[in-house]
Amino acid sequence: GVGESEELANDIFLKLLAGDLCGKLVVVSWKHKEIGDLAQELGCGEDQGCPKKYHGGTFDDVWEIKYVHKPPKPPVEVEEIFNVDLVTREKLSVPLEASNKKEKKKKEAAQQDAADAEALDWNVFGFVTSQNFDPLHFAKTNGVYGD
């Protein structure tokens, strides 16, 4: 509703971060004077393709805001650990059990670090397209208004 852009944006972000919106489309109908504010709250500013203000007399524009997740890259050490094969371990005389425990701890730590950073690692893209809808023309062609 009016003046509730921040609350709606927070609700959308929580669902996005929880993975509830992955691959889904969210449609929002909002007061036209506040759409620019809502876009800003959703992280889409002029640099991302969303204008600050919505033209007051335009009612047929669709604003699309797209979030693209950038998966985190594991630290180099973690990549190296997972690329070490059994032959290499034998050459290094690393006991397999000890190696597995160390790898598991490092993997768990890397996964936690990735999870912590994951929520902040998104690209946002926006654009506005006109649907060229003329309600008066529509009404006349459908018999609502006479000629």
Side-chain angles (χ1 to χ4, degrees):
V2 177
E4 296 177 351
S5 297
E6 184 177 352
E7 290 85 3
L8 178 61
N10 287 336
D11 186 50
I12 290 172
F13 281 135
L14 288 174
K15 289 177 181 172
L16 183 69
L17 294 174
D20 296 340
L21 301 179
C22 292
K24 297 187 179 170
L25 173 69
V26 176
V27 177
V28 177
S29 177
W30 212 246
K31 176 106 174 127
H32 71 280
K33 291 180 182 177
E34 294 187 17
I35 289 177
D37 295 333
L38 178 60
Q40 301 292 312
E41 291 289 340
L42 290 169
C44 189
E46 291 179 293
D47 291 342
Q48 292 79 28
C50 294
K52 273 188 163 182
K53 298 289 179 191
Y54 190 69
H55 302 292
T58 306
F59 298 95
D60 67 340
D61 285 354
V62 174
W63 291 43
E64 183 175 339
I65 300 173
K66 188 173 214 165
Y67 297 90
V68 180
H69 183 256
K70 298 185 297 183
K73 293 183 179 179
V76 175
E77 311 86 56
V78 174
E79 285 180 347
E80 289 173 358
I81 289 171
F82 294 122
N83 290 331
V84 174
D85 60 15
L86 291 174
V87 176
T88 306
R89 285 191 191 122
E90 287 175 9
K91 286 181 183 176
L92 295 173
S93 301
V94 176
L96 188 57
E97 291 173 22
S99 176
N100 284 342
K101 286 179 183 178
K102 288 179 184 178
E103 285 181 26
K104 186 176 179 181
K105 280 187 174 185
K106 287 184 180 182
K107 182 179 177 183
E108 287 171 356
Q111 287 174 333
Q112 184 59 49
D113 289 345
D116 292 342
E118 188 174 68
L120 304 175
D121 210 8
W122 296 83
N123 283 324
V124 181
F125 303 95
F127 59 91
V128 180
T129 55
S130 176
Q131 299 302 301
N132 296 317
F133 178 71
D134 181 350
L136 185 57
H137 175 73
F138 178 82
K140 283 183 179 180
T141 57
N142 287 292
V144 178
Y145 295 111
D147 288 323

